[in-house]
Amino acid sequence: MVAGELVYGENRVVVQNEDGTKVEYRLWDPFKSKLAAAILDDVYDIGIIPGDRVLYLGAGSGITVSHVSDIVGPMGMVYAVEFSDRKARDLINMARKRTNVIPIIEDARHPLKYQSLVGVVDVIISDIAQPYQVKILALNASYFLKKDGRFMISVNAKRVDPTAPPDVVFAQELIKLYAEKFKPLDEATLEPFARNHSCIFGGYRIVNIHKRGN
Amino acid sequence: MLVLFETPAGFALFKVLDEGKLSNVEDLWKDFATSESARQVVKLKAFNKFENTTEALSAATLLIDSKPSKGLRKFLRTHCDGETLAVADSKLGNAIKEKLKIDCLHNNAVMELMRGLRNQLTELISGLATQDLAPMSLGLSHSLSRYKLKFSPDKVDTMIIQAIGLLDDLDKELNTYAMRVREWYGWHFPELAKIVQDNIQYAKTVKLMGDRVNAADLDFSEVLAEEIEAELKEAAVISMGTEISDLDLANIRCLCDQVLALSEYRAQLYDYLRSRMNTIAPNLTALVGELVGARLIAHGGSLLNLAKQPGSTVQILGAEKALFRALKTKHATPKYGLIFHASLIGQAAPKLKGKISRSLAAKTALAIRYDALGENTDSSMGLENRAKLEARLRVLEGRELGRSAGSAKGKPKIEVYDKDRKKGAGALITPAKTYNTSADLLLGPATTPEQDGALSRKRKHEEVETESAKETTDASVEEDGKKEKKKKKKSKIEETNDNDATVEAAEPEKKKKKKKIEGSSAEFVNNDETTVPENDEEPSTKEKKKKKRKNAETEEPSVNVEEQETETKSKKKEKKKKEKKGGE
């Protein structure tokens, strides 16, 4: 979205459009970004389209956030929530250059604290490696996620339950999601980019399911 | 019932028109699906806009702690008479109840209501479009995050790095200009340059004096010392410089002004640097001083970067050239880098500088981490550690005294044998002793003409690196040798004796410090059995003198006819023998 700015030392490619204008694309590293890994693992529908408002829990230094910001474009909005100070510093620097990213340095467990900053969102992405991350996601969704909204949750089996085998953990997370009015639609394990990881995509309070993005 | 809703633009108070809907939580969302139905349920009663970002920031920060700000309290007091207030935050509700005696409500229904409100926010609050909300949200979030991170402009270490860079630049510039003044004015009054040594004094003098004929009349007491003044006045009379015009003098005076201004600025900058260092890294300053501390930070790039370095790195920061040179050539590494200029090191006796440098570096690393990542901003930790280090210095000195005064039966200190260490004191690097190959004497029997040719060629090419085409038993030894090779400076690949297009592997020969014997596999297609034992004899005699006999096994006449030891190997062994005998 911001031409010429590299966020984390990635490479970029300049491509010529049909009308002669040049477009700059940044390469999305699947080893650094789980969303990229999920896309490469052939997920059916990530659920984000240009113009969306996205709430991103666990934004980290902003690597994936920057790519999501590129996807939603200037009409959309990314609310990036990150609790760690060090990471947040990088996030803020990145947000300074991108006007569609709103950095929120708060604990995602208490959406109350940032509810005045966030409006209604279309998608929630959650990348918090906590045992009760589904609960956090559900709480945030009840505040901010619109009906028929989409979500993506990245599950690190070792963080949720280090003793159980990953498949069991993923299954348990699915059950938890169903209990919280989520409807998981797709799951993508992130091999070979990350081990014991899986990304679950789905909808919230969904009545009709239709494919949103590509 | 009223509902309190916070937006980045301000506080909104909605009146619930149909309270019956609230009992049916499950279907509440249907009512907020469209703006018309939403308007049936709630209506905007009042809106309290934030005046500016500061107010928004303060209100937001208080809300995070579940406290109502003054503006909010006033707003609620005005509009909230007699009604219950639905709030999202129960703690806030309690606070409001306490302070304003307004009953607050918080339950699932309220949360659903909030959700619906959020959905239809822009519709319900006229005059507040999405476009307005977005930048407000952005601004507020940035201010909030900065507040959260306690982004203090005082703690920016970039200032230090820039200031120290500027200090160095200023010094250079000052020196250049001062030299220029001397040269330029020396055309008119050359003796002055030798009389007045200090640059600033020189500039002041020239400024005061102008033409040297004025020297006799003027009083230089503020600028110069008495004897110098006397000398100057004498020399002014008998000077052999030429006359210069007033215009020239005016220009020289301008330059002097510049010099003086610069030196003043430099003093000011130095003060600024000191005050900044004390704010940003008080513990580091307490331990090593402002200047050294600033240089360390500048060298590391930032305070945080510096904090990631271990104490051993801090010790030799600034001596990288010497360090890597020593590591490459297996000499002793330098003992101190930038840290040498710390006062603690200056205090220590030369023999103890190394020890103190190490201890100081260790404590300095701790202090840096404390400054970069800790919460407090006082220098207590630094001062404590400095006291500890000074105590240690006393102890060491005491021990030294005892030793120099003590028994010492006249025997030299027995050093631990370190096969890899070259003799060399401290940071000094002694050049390696090289073997003069022209002093070679081959004691072996007559060799075949090919081998002879190979030999002479090999003599000429003193440094050769081989890649052996076929390695069998020598493989492991060569591996060893190759590791050594990596550290060598020069290498050439030599091809010798191309026979029938077989590639020969020539012996690697390095001048410097080769400790291990290379395995060789020079191949001669047409070697005789006879030469093999001969050649083996040669090397074997020399081998015995070696401490390492790695190649013992490989030097047996190999069944593989194509493998053979070459003379180059023997030459190398001679070299090594010499080096080994040196016993370093």
Side-chain angles (χ1 to χ4, degrees), chain A residues 77 79 85-86 88-89 92 95-96 99 101-106 112-113 115-120 141-147 181 204-205, chain B residues 5-8 26 29 60 63-65 88-90 111-112 114-115 118-119 134 137-138 140-142 144-146 148-149 151 304 372-373:
Chain A
M77 215 51 180
Y79 303 91
D85 273 358
R86 294 279 119 62
R89 226 166 270 180
I92 291 179
R96 222 173 272 158
T99 47
V101 176
I102 295 195
I104 301 175
I105 319 296
E106 281 298 342
L112 256 183
K113 302 210 169 167
Q115 59 143 350
S116 53
L117 290 170
V118 184
V120 129
S142 72
Y143 271 77
F144 306 120
L145 186 55
K146 73 173 192 198
K147 200 180 93 49
K181 292 201 193 120
Y204 183 59
R205 299 195 190 191
Chain B
F5 193 82
E6 302 111 11
T7 72
E26 279 303 313
W29 63 268
L63 274 178
I64 289 176
D65 294 327
D89 186 0
S90 51
M111 299 315 295
E112 277 299 314
M114 292 284 187
R115 209 182 126 80
R118 201 179 292 276
N119 246 313
S137 195
L138 190 61
L140 185 57
S141 78
H142 271 279
L144 256 180
S145 13
R146 240 174 273 155
K148 273 252 133 182
L149 287 187
F151 182 80
L304 204 56
L373 305 160

Side-chain angles (χ1 to χ4, degrees), chain B residues 203-383:
Chain B
K204 284 195 186 146
T205 316
V206 170
K207 188 164 167 200
L208 195 55
M209 188 162 60
D211 202 315
R212 64 168 184 272
V213 297
N214 305 330
D217 315 321
L218 289 170
D219 176 28
F220 290 98
S221 47
E222 306 106 41
V223 185
L224 302 169
E226 290 238 352
E227 320 84 52
I228 302 185
E229 201 182 329
E231 266 189 69
L232 175 130
K233 292 198 169 152
E234 271 181 41
V237 183
I238 53 172
S239 169
M240 57 174 157
T242 56
E243 300 299 322
I244 50 175
S245 69
D246 283 333
L247 184 58
D248 304 327
L249 269 176
N251 271 309
I252 298 182
R253 271 209 169 103
C254 271
L255 182 55
C256 290
D257 283 337
Q258 281 287 0
V259 170
L260 293 170
L262 267 183
S263 78
E264 243 187 76
Y265 178 53
R266 190 210 179 275
Q268 208 184 34
L269 185 66
Y270 188 60
D271 277 332
Y272 164 75
L273 182 62
R274 290 172 72 198
S275 79
R276 276 263 143 266
M277 272 303 288
N278 274 308
T279 322
I280 293 182
N283 292 289
L284 178 60
T285 327
L287 265 181
V288 293
E290 289 93 2
L291 214 48
V292 177
R295 280 196 202 282
L296 283 172
I297 296 179
H299 197 282
S302 81
L303 191 55
L304 204 56
N305 252 346
L306 200 57
K308 295 181 190 165
Q309 311 288 10
S312 51
T313 305
V314 174
Q315 187 178 354
I316 41 101
L317 267 184
E320 282 83 4
K321 186 161 164 228
L323 174 71
F324 289 113
R325 188 176 55 195
L327 284 175
K328 268 193 217 160
T329 59
K330 294 213 170 194
H331 274 93
T333 53
K335 294 198 286 289
Y336 19 63
L338 285 170
I339 222 165
F340 185 71
H341 301 103
S343 53
L344 268 175
I345 312 269
Q347 285 173 25
K351 288 218 156 195
L352 300 174
K353 282 204 208 291
K355 291 199 184 188
I356 291 296
S357 148
R358 188 178 62 239
S359 320
L360 179 61
K363 294 300 178 194
T364 311
L366 285 176
I368 294 171
R369 282 171 212 162
Y370 196 75
D371 286 327
L373 305 160
E375 297 299 329
N376 306 358
T377 49
D378 67 339
S379 61
S380 54
M381 183 244 180
L383 291 168

Side-chain angles (χ1 to χ4, degrees), chain B residues 470-509:
Chain B
K470 296 168 201 175
E471 287 175 297
T472 56
T473 56
D474 291 321
S476 56
V477 185
E478 271 217 2
E479 234 89 291
D480 252 346
K482 275 189 179 143
K483 280 183 213 148
E484 301 276 305
K485 277 188 227 170
K486 278 181 203 154
K487 298 184 184 163
K488 295 317 176 243
K489 290 172 192 168
K490 298 176 202 164
S491 63
K492 280 187 219 163
I493 296 176
E494 182 189 87
E495 281 191 332
T496 62
N497 276 7
D498 270 28
N499 289 325
D500 303 300
T502 50
V503 178
E504 257 174 279
E507 214 47 311
E509 262 184 84

Side-chain angles (χ1 to χ4, degrees), chain B residues 554-566:
Chain B
T554 62
E555 268 149 40
E556 294 151 13
S558 42
V559 179
N560 184 357
V561 174
E562 293 198 328
E563 279 189 6
Q564 193 182 30
E565 308 266 306
T566 61

Side-chain angles (χ1 to χ4, degrees), chain B residues 97-116:
Chain B
K97 189 159 175 179
E98 264 183 56
K99 297 221 166 105
L100 303 173
K101 312 282 182 259
I102 302 173
D103 278 333
C104 287
L105 186 61
H106 174 76
N107 56 28
N108 258 346
V110 173
M111 299 315 295
E112 277 299 314
L113 195 58
M114 292 284 187
R115 209 182 126 80

Side-chain angles (χ1 to χ4, degrees), chain B residues 447-458:
Chain B
T447 57
T448 64
E450 288 149 329
Q451 288 168 342
D452 226 350
L455 186 63
S456 55
R457 240 173 291 160
K458 277 172 188 168

